[in-house]
Amino acid sequence: MQRLSSIASLALACAFLAACSSGRPGDPAPLRGVGLPQQAASSAVSDTPLGRAVVRAVNDYRTATPLSVNSTLQRAAAVHASDMAIRKYRGHHNPEGQGPLDRVLAIDENFRGRVGENIWMGTERRGNTDDQMAAFILQGWLNSPQHRSLLESDRFSTTGVGVAQNGDVIYVVQVFGDPS
């Protein structure tokens, strides 16, 4: 259990907030025209029991309006989780520099609005239900001020959650959006 706690703490320490908006001065320019990583895109699963449990846990926690699941954000989250699992890295940007907004725009080039992303990586907690695992993931995000701010923000109205696994390591990505 102590090893699991250490891994979860390391994952949270290494994960950081990535909030991007389109069209604002000082924001990173999106990588227009860059597609999603092929292997991750073809193996990503957009709807998982754990992903649904994470959305429920987040909405149960929020005092702001519940987030509705958006298919574009769901696909972007699933592909990023799959990519991290396949290539064994963690971060809001893939090795090619593609970030959350880039992934959303690769799926829907007409998307306008702000996006944010929380990621979690940790060891599978065998014997736990999806709801218990989602509560564990949510608690990890709540322990981080940057992650908590996205969870509590009323500027986001939609979300998507992607989950992928490599061995006993689970990768969870939640993308938040405010499509204009």
Side-chain angles (χ1 to χ4, degrees):
M1 187 66 164
Q2 186 175 10
R3 181 174 181 264
L4 175 61
S5 178
S6 297
I7 291 171
S9 296
L10 177 62
L12 287 170
C14 293
F16 58 91
L17 170 68
C20 304
S21 65
S22 56
R24 293 185 172 213
D27 286 335
L31 301 172
R32 303 275 181 196
V34 175
L36 298 170
Q38 250 182 6
Q39 186 178 6
S42 65
S43 66
V45 178
S46 290
D47 183 29
T48 66
L50 179 55
R52 289 190 302 273
V54 168
V55 171
R56 280 193 307 273
V58 167
N59 278 336
D60 287 348
Y61 168 77
R62 284 171 57 90
T63 57
T65 303
L67 299 165
S68 61
V69 174
N70 172 286
S71 61
T72 298
L73 301 180
Q74 186 78 10
R75 178 81 178 137
V79 170
H80 190 48
S82 178
D83 191 40
M84 288 191 297
I86 290 167
R87 298 200 278 174
K88 298 179 182 174
Y89 72 94
R90 65 176 168 253
H92 295 286
H93 290 81
N94 68 17
E96 293 76 33
Q98 189 179 49
L101 181 59
D102 302 313
R103 289 185 288 277
V104 170
L105 290 172
I107 295 163
D108 178 2
E109 64 186 26
N110 295 315
F111 180 91
R112 300 291 176 259
R114 183 182 305 254
V115 301
E117 179 177 81
N118 280 343
I119 62 171
W120 181 90
M121 182 188 111
T123 305
E124 179 180 13
R125 299 181 74 195
R126 297 193 195 286
N128 282 0
T129 66
D130 290 322
D131 287 334
Q132 290 169 325
M133 191 69 198
F136 182 74
I137 292 164
L138 175 62
Q139 189 56 56
W141 284 335
L142 293 175
N143 291 338
S144 161
Q146 293 92 353
H147 292 91
R148 179 188 286 258
S149 70
L150 276 178
L151 294 166
E152 295 176 348
S153 177
D154 61 0
R155 68 182 174 175
F156 296 114
S157 59
T158 59
T159 193
V161 175
V163 177
Q165 192 164 348
N166 187 332
D168 64 348
V169 178
I170 299 173
Y171 299 80
V172 179
V173 176
Q174 182 169 26
V175 178
F176 300 86
D178 177 24
S180 301

